[in-house]
């Protein structure tokens, strides 16, 4: 095994990783350095002068690191990279004359950097307390896209945190094939049990994904939580998808879903949030999400008393929108004053992780 | 005029007022309605039904809003404060409404890691849990056991609230329930945790119940057991740090963790076990500073427990086998359930012991079956609550085996089952 993939599962070849994990995107003809897809959103305007200046100052060091990480994002040294640094890095690249093809995969310089500048936590605090991955989309996003972000993140987290032995799509494929072959080949009892368990988990996960879709159709969802282990009040690990900063647009005016998902996952890979974590035993995963009190959802159970736990390992994925968005054409956005009518809902199933 | 009114009041049955009436409102699991809205509707409902006799439960409502959002509204625990069933004027007494949701997921396990091994050291419930719903009501004790326990915690909270100096007046937040097996000690602990979570929902968002598996805290490595206990309590400490949570630590069969250290002098126990006792004692002393924790312990063999631990328990409640009156109520609740499930059919009205007393135990058509049940209860004295709860099942399994029976047949079978139980017991005693 090459030294750079030490500590990772041997079957995950580094350069394959992003694409294996996102089979949904395989339909798009792109490889690491392929040309931009036709539906790519227009290249955003260059960053503000002040920000650019700051980027440039850091460019010599960061630029190299970035190119390195871009060629094989998973080859980064096993240090934790904070969101701010990552934004710097990607911002630096946007300003630097890299090929247009590679800039497609890189997050644009997020304007959030400037806003956050004042209260930016120290690096050590960020790494220990609450790692944050911020993704800024250069335009409005549809609600269906938001739903897909949540679904893909759930699948990704479950695989990366060792609750599924293979990525969801592969597992589903093998399971379907096994079900088809099942009546032809007689399997041993233990194999049968394992495949039954796998099918059970997949069925439950599929159910959650479907109900997520329903939920997103019924209500605006400002936050989604993926809770691993323990119980909902005190999970072992917590992944939060924050969609509060998303500007919702109609299908015509919004960015294409695939490019947004690509961008989200690219940011996750660059931030390299999963590599340093210890392998987990199989445990339960619970999905919680915020929705409007009277959205009329039946499957998810309201948890009026719920409070997002502060302890335990936590990763926040912050999504927001920016860029030249004509606010008047967008549907009415929600004002923060009625956030209090948004309550937590919990999926009534616990997805039980399994190892093969 | 006032005199006449006064006389009239005396003539009427004593309407009790000025008591604290607890109303538990179970919100439907899919309802996200605001607590204030539900409170308003429930108060309206209670206004319409001014006077209730003892505990009462509504499950169907005229109000569409309540129908959609509320599973049940129950007036509970009036019997804890009032000796007899008497009318309660809801408009005069002070009402406290407790609106809650049940958590449907089962217990999660809490691990203590030791040398790459994960040992499940505790089960962990988020309260109020669906699993424990109705448990409190199903536990029947003749003395004021339940109200004592509730009052104890109320005082504990009052003292913590008023910042009473714990160096001057100390209380340890430890409850020890002891008594023969099968009397519902563990269930009472769980039910108490559930009850308190509901009662105190206005100050704590949720409750956590941690049931420690005492045996899993003993390590295979010499001298490691004490450390495991410390690790376990560290986890509990983390839970306590959340000020919104009310934490209950349940240590079942506590004598295994706090065996009397004096016994070690004989040299028959390993010194590792002494360390466990020491660890538990010091950890309890650490925890008692926090206002939001209660330690519940149970034991069958009290004399084996270390004196230092017994000393620390604020309440040492003896839970004995049920009396005839309690047995009668247990049977009555069992038969009610069987009639609800239509295993006993047709439905027959059974009288309570108090109603029997009021008619002077005269046998007539209405009271005949109840008197038979009373006789069975009298003969069942000496059986534990656990046995009593399974007797209706055994009666059906051994003597009936048909999908539905009449009450008379069932009571005959129950009577036979009681006899068999005593017979088995005497045989077991002969063998020894």
């Amino acid at each position: 095994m090459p030294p750079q993939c030490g500590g990772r599962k041997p079957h995950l070849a580094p350069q394959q990783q992003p694409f294996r994990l996102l089979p949904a995107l395989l339909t798009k003809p792109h490889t690491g350095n392929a040309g931009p897809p036709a539906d790519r959103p227009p290249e955003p305007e260059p960053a503000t002068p002040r920000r650019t200046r700051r980027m440039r100052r850091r460019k010599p060091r960061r630029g190299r690191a970035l190119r390195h990480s871009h060629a094989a994002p998973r080859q980064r040294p096993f240090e934790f990279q904070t969101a701010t640094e990552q934004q710097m890095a990607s911002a630096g690249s946007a300003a630097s004359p890299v090929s247009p093809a590679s800039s497609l995969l890189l997050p644009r310089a997020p304007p959030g950097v400037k806003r956050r500048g004042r209260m930016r936590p120290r690096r050590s605090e960020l790494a220990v307390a609450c790692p944050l991955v911020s993704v800024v989309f250069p335009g409005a996003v549809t609600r269906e896209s938001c739903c897909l972000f949540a679904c893909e993140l759930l699948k990704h987290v479950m695989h990366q945190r060792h609750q599924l032995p293979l990525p969801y799509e592969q597992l589903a494929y093998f399971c379907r094939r096994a079900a088809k072959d099942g009546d032809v080949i007689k399997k041993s009892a233990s194999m049968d049990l394992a495949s039954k368990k796998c099918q059970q988990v997949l069925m439950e996960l599929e159910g959650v994904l479907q109900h997520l879709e329903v939920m997103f159709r019924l209500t605006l969802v400002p936050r989604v939580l993926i809770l691993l282990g323990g119980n909902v009040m005190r999970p072992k690990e917590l992944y939060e998808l924050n969609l509060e900063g998303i500007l919702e647009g109609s299908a015509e005016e919004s960015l294409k879903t695939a490019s947004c998902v690509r961008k989200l996952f690219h940011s996750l890979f660059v931030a390299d949030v999963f590599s340093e974590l210890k392998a987990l035993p199989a445990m339960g995963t619970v999905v919680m999400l915020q929705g409007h009190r009277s959205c009329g959802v039946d499957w998810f159970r309201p948890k009026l008393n719920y409070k997002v736990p502060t302890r335990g390992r936590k990763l926040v994925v912050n999504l927001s929108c920016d860029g030249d968005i004509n606010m008047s054409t967008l549907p009415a956005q929600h004002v923060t004053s009625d956030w209090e009518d948004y309550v937590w809902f919990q999926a009534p199933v616990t997805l039980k992780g399994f190892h093969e | 005029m006032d005199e006449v009114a006064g006389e009239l009041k005396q003539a009427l049955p004593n309407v009790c007022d000025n008591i604290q009436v607890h109303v538990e409102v179970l919100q439907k699991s899919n309802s996200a309605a605001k607590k204030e809205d539900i409170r308003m509707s429930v108060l309206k409902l209670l206004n319409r039904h001014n006077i209730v006799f003892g505990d009462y439960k509504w499950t169907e409502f005229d109000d569409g809003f309540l129908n959609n959002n509320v599973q049940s509204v129950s007036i509970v625990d009036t019997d804890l404060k009032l000796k007899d069933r008497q009318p309660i004027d809801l408009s005069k007494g002070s009402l406290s409404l407790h609106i809650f949701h049940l958590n449907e997921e089962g217990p999660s396990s809490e691990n203590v890691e030791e040398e790459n091994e994960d040992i499940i050291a505790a089960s962990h419930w988020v309260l109020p849990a669906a699993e424990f719903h109705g448990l409190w009501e199903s536990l029947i004790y003749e003395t004021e056991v339940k109200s004592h326990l509730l009052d104890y915690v109320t005082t504990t909270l009052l003292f913590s609230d008023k910042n009473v100096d714990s160096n001057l007046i100390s209380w340890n937040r430890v409850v020890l329930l002891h008594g023969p097996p099968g009397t519902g000690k563990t269930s009472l602990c769980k039910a108490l945790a559930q009850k308190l979570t509901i009662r105190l929902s206005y100050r704590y968002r949720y409750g956590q119940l941690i049931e420690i598996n005492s045996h899993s805290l003993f390590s295979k490595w010499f001298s490691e057991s004490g450390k495991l206990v410390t690790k376990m309590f560290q986890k509990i400490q983390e839970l306590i740090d959340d000020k919104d949570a009310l934490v209950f630590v349940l240590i079942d069969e506590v004598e295994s963790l706090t065996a009397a250290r004096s016994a070690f002098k004989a040299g028959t126990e390993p010194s590792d076990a002494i360390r466990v006792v020491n660890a538990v004692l010091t950890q309890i002393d650490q925890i008692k500073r926090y206002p939001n924790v209660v330690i519940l312990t149970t034991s069958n063999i009290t004399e084996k427990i270390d004196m230092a631990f017994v000393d620390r328990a604020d309440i040492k409640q003896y839970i004995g086998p049920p009396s005839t009156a309690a047995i009668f109520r247990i049977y009555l609740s069992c038969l009610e359930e069987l009639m609800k499930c239509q295993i006993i059919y047709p439905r027959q009205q059974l009288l309570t012991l108090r109603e029997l007393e009021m008619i002077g135990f005269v046998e007539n058509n209405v009271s005949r079956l109840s008197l038979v049940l009373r006789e069975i209860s009298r003969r069942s004295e000496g059986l534990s609550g656990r046995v009593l709860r399974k007797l209706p099942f055994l009666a059906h399994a051994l003597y009936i085996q048909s999908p539905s029976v009449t009450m008379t047949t069932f009571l005959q079978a129950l009577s036979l089952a009681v006899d068999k139980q005593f017979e088995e017991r005497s045989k077991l005693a002969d063998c020894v």
Side-chain angles (χ1 to χ4, degrees):
Chain A
M1 190 164 58
Q4 65 265 31
C5 24
R8 209 172 307 285
K9 283 184 174 177
H11 68 274
L12 302 180
Q15 65 276 22
Q16 272 186 356
Q17 187 90 351
F19 311 113
R20 257 170 24 81
L21 289 165
L22 284 175
L25 300 182
L26 276 176
T27 47
K28 293 271 171 240
H30 85 283
T31 54
N33 277 323
D39 60 2
R40 190 166 70 85
E43 198 58 29
E45 291 297 307
T48 58
R50 187 177 151 212
R51 202 184 316 135
T52 323
R53 208 165 46 241
R54 204 184 326 152
M55 304 308 154
R56 282 216 185 98
R57 207 172 57 235
R58 306 190 77 177
K59 207 178 82 182
R61 194 160 55 88
R62 288 294 154 201
R64 200 163 53 241
L66 174 87
R67 269 193 293 282
H68 178 67
S69 75
H70 173 241
R74 310 292 294 184
Q75 284 180 359
R76 292 184 51 76
F78 295 116
E79 51 150 11
F80 193 80
Q81 190 191 21
T82 64
T84 333
E85 267 190 356
Q86 172 230 330
Q87 285 158 358
M88 289 297 184
S90 48
S93 85
S96 69
V98 281
S99 75
S102 52
S103 70
L104 157 75
L105 279 173
L106 291 171
R108 198 180 57 92
V113 173
K114 200 168 93 187
R115 260 184 268 126
R116 244 193 315 278
R118 260 178 297 126
M119 39 198 259
R120 191 168 63 218
R122 285 202 325 274
R123 176 199 161 95
S124 59
E125 274 175 14
L126 254 184
V128 173
C130 171
L132 174 84
V133 176
S134 286
V135 184
V136 183
F137 298 117
V141 175
T142 60
R143 201 181 273 178
E144 292 74 49
S145 306
C146 292
C147 174
L148 198 70
F149 301 156
C151 294
E152 292 296 331
L153 188 69
L154 173 63
K155 295 176 199 168
H156 184 64
V157 166
M158 281 195 77
H159 172 50
Q160 287 289 317
R161 300 310 290 134
H162 315 282
Q163 302 307 308
L164 298 178
L166 290 169
Y168 170 76
E169 266 78 12
Q170 282 192 20
L171 213 56
Y173 171 72
F174 284 133
C175 244
R176 270 196 300 274
R177 210 178 56 178
K180 226 181 270 170
D181 297 350
D183 38 18
V184 186
I185 312 159
K186 271 269 175 273
K187 288 188 213 112
S188 70
S190 70
M191 268 291 286
D192 212 33
L193 196 73
S195 82
K196 261 208 190 108
K197 199 171 172 188
C198 165
Q199 248 150 16
Q200 170 79 21
V201 174
L202 280 181
M203 223 167 66
E204 280 173 1
L205 179 54
E206 216 158 286
V208 171
L209 296 174
Q210 275 167 9
H211 284 286
L212 273 175
E213 250 174 72
V214 174
M215 184 75 178
F216 270 88
R217 245 179 276 142
L218 286 171
T219 168
L220 181 91
V221 178
R223 285 155 95 191
V224 181
L225 296 183
I226 299 166
L227 308 158
L228 263 68
N231 61 29
V232 288
M233 301 300 178
R234 215 172 66 96
K236 290 221 163 45
E237 293 188 8
L238 184 153
Y239 297 86
E240 176 181 334
L241 182 68
N242 194 321
L243 301 159
E244 280 171 15
I246 288 277
L247 290 176
E248 220 173 80
S250 60
E252 304 89 59
E253 299 154 319
S254 300
L255 302 173
K256 287 283 173 292
T257 307
S259 67
C260 292
V261 175
R262 209 148 52 222
K263 182 161 176 167
L264 164 64
F265 275 81
H266 182 266
S267 307
L268 281 179
F269 295 137
V270 171
D272 202 18
V273 280
F274 294 106
S275 72
E276 66 159 18
L277 302 180
K278 235 176 27 178
L280 286 179
M283 50 195 189
T285 305
V286 178
V287 178
M288 296 202 66
L289 73 179
Q290 263 181 330
H292 195 275
R293 194 185 280 282
S294 50
C295 64
V297 72
D298 208 41
W299 194 73
F300 286 95
R301 302 266 181 261
K303 297 279 160 188
L304 304 179
N305 278 345
Y306 190 69
K307 196 185 67 172
V308 181
T310 47
R311 289 170 181 284
R313 193 183 289 282
K314 188 171 176 183
L315 169 75
V316 178
V317 180
N318 225 335
L319 304 186
S320 52
C321 291
D322 199 66
D324 298 330
I325 302 166
N326 186 357
M327 296 294 283
S328 57
T329 63
L330 294 179
Q333 302 288 334
H334 291 262
V335 276
T336 17
S337 63
D338 56 26
W339 276 149
E340 66 185 47
D341 264 331
Y342 284 81
V343 295
W344 284 105
F345 286 86
Q346 180 183 344
V349 295
T350 304
L351 302 166
K352 295 210 173 52
F354 69 105
H355 302 296
E356 257 169 322
Chain B
M1 189 65 198
D2 280 349
E3 262 174 50
V4 178
E7 270 170 37
L8 205 68
K9 207 174 184 180
Q10 275 176 353
L12 281 168
N14 195 14
V15 175
C16 190
D17 42 46
N18 297 327
I19 78 156
Q20 181 85 4
V21 180
H22 293 279
V23 183
E24 293 182 357
V25 181
L26 172 56
Q27 200 172 349
K28 278 194 179 169
S29 68
N30 58 357
S31 147
K34 278 188 193 159
K35 292 234 154 79
E36 298 84 71
D37 298 345
I38 291 182
R39 179 180 299 274
M40 294 301 287
S41 303
V42 170
L43 282 177
K44 252 187 249 163
L45 172 86
L46 294 178
N47 257 335
R48 258 178 288 140
H49 304 265
N50 232 333
I51 292 185
V52 289
F53 287 83
D55 291 2
Y56 194 79
K57 186 172 179 178
W58 287 272
T59 44
E60 277 169 13
F61 312 96
D62 312 329
D63 190 350
F65 176 78
L66 283 180
N67 253 339
N68 288 336
N69 291 297
V70 173
Q71 189 84 46
S72 66
V73 175
S74 1
I75 293 171
V76 292
D77 298 331
T78 51
D79 52 336
L80 298 187
K81 294 283 172 232
L82 302 169
K83 295 292 154 295
D84 307 319
R85 237 167 97 103
Q86 41 182 272
I88 301 161
D89 192 341
L90 293 181
S91 55
K92 287 207 182 118
S94 59
L95 289 173
S96 31
L97 255 64
H98 312 287
I99 302 167
F100 63 99
H101 263 132
L102 289 177
N103 286 296
E104 277 149 14
E105 61 258 52
S108 62
S109 55
E110 200 72 53
N111 297 323
V112 171
E113 286 137 41
E114 192 208 11
E115 307 263 319
N116 304 328
E117 275 179 84
D118 266 359
I119 303 163
I120 297 175
S123 313
H124 187 171
W125 282 270
V126 177
L127 300 176
E131 213 174 319
F132 304 141
H133 187 59
L135 191 57
W136 178 264
E137 285 72 29
S138 77
L139 293 167
I140 295 159
Y141 300 102
E142 59 271 51
T143 50
E144 276 72 38
V145 176
K146 283 159 139 188
S147 60
H148 270 166
L149 288 172
L150 280 178
D151 292 343
Y152 161 73
V153 180
T154 320
T155 309
T156 308
L157 284 168
L158 178 78
F159 273 45
S160 299
D161 272 356
K162 302 273 178 194
N163 283 324
V164 175
D165 188 346
S166 61
N167 289 327
L168 297 176
I169 300 172
S170 82
W171 64 105
N172 288 299
R173 312 173 176 284
V174 179
V175 176
L176 171 64
L177 302 182
H178 62 99
T183 43
K185 297 179 295 294
T186 314
S187 303
L188 182 60
C189 287
K190 290 176 175 169
L192 179 69
Q194 172 104 332
K195 193 75 180 177
L196 287 169
T197 308
I198 293 170
R199 284 275 175 94
L200 301 171
S201 56
Y202 63 94
R203 39 181 304 163
Y204 299 104
R205 272 168 186 268
Y206 55 94
Q208 310 244 34
L209 172 66
I210 305 141
E211 184 178 7
I212 297 181
N213 295 339
S214 355
H215 61 270
S216 63
L217 293 180
F218 285 88
S219 170
K220 63 183 172 194
W221 306 109
F222 192 71
S223 90
E224 284 291 312
S225 310
K227 285 179 196 158
L228 279 181
V229 171
T230 312
K231 266 188 196 167
M232 186 68 234
F233 274 89
Q234 267 167 12
K235 298 224 162 185
I236 294 167
Q237 180 74 51
E238 281 171 28
L239 293 176
I240 298 171
D241 286 342
D242 185 355
K243 292 281 168 265
D244 281 338
L246 183 58
V247 181
F248 298 92
V249 182
L250 170 56
I251 311 175
D252 218 354
E253 319 291 348
V254 74
E255 68 272 0
S256 65
L257 276 186
T258 57
R261 283 172 290 184
S262 55
F264 300 144
K265 283 181 198 147
T268 49
E269 294 272 355
S271 59
D272 200 28
I274 297 187
R275 298 197 183 108
V276 169
V277 182
N278 293 342
V280 170
L281 293 178
T282 47
Q283 291 299 330
I284 285 177
D285 282 345
Q286 298 246 325
I287 276 185
K288 73 173 185 187
R289 289 181 288 130
Y290 296 90
N292 57 336
V293 62
V294 179
I295 300 171
L296 307 165
T297 59
T298 72
S299 173
N300 290 335
I301 6 179
T302 341
E303 63 270 24
K304 279 276 191 74
I305 304 179
D306 195 85
M307 268 321 286
F309 179 81
V310 176
D311 239 18
R312 275 169 175 79
D314 296 335
I315 286 195
K316 296 171 272 284
Q317 178 72 53
Y318 175 76
I319 311 271
S323 68
T324 311
I327 293 173
F328 188 85
R329 283 175 64 191
I330 291 172
Y331 280 151
L332 209 58
S333 67
C334 292
L335 294 173
E336 276 297 326
E337 177 66 20
L338 286 175
M339 285 193 279
K340 208 176 95 193
C341 303
Q342 294 192 336
I343 289 174
I344 294 176
Y345 192 83
R347 175 172 275 278
Q348 299 263 352
Q349 181 61 45
L350 289 171
L351 303 176
T352 64
L353 212 52
R354 192 178 145 66
E355 283 161 342
L356 280 177
E357 206 178 317
M358 274 158 74
I359 60 166
F361 301 107
V362 180
E363 184 163 341
N364 58 25
N365 276 341
V366 186
S367 69
R368 185 170 300 118
L369 289 169
S370 310
L371 284 172
V372 173
L373 187 62
R374 178 164 165 265
E375 180 56 28
I376 297 174
S377 311
R378 210 183 47 72
R379 282 197 291 121
S380 312
E381 220 165 303
L383 296 177
S384 73
R386 187 181 306 168
V387 173
L388 290 173
R389 289 266 173 210
K390 78 180 171 201
L391 271 179
F393 166 79
L394 287 177
H396 190 277
L398 295 173
Y399 304 108
I400 295 172
Q401 298 122 353
S402 79
S404 94
V405 289
T406 60
M407 180 67 87
T408 322
T409 337
F410 192 86
L411 285 179
Q412 277 164 6
L414 189 62
S415 167
L416 288 172
V418 171
D419 292 342
K420 191 172 165 61
Q421 202 65 40
F422 279 106
E423 199 181 305
E424 277 174 5
R425 188 186 272 195
S426 67
K427 269 187 194 155
L428 208 62
D430 286 347
C431 289
V432 175

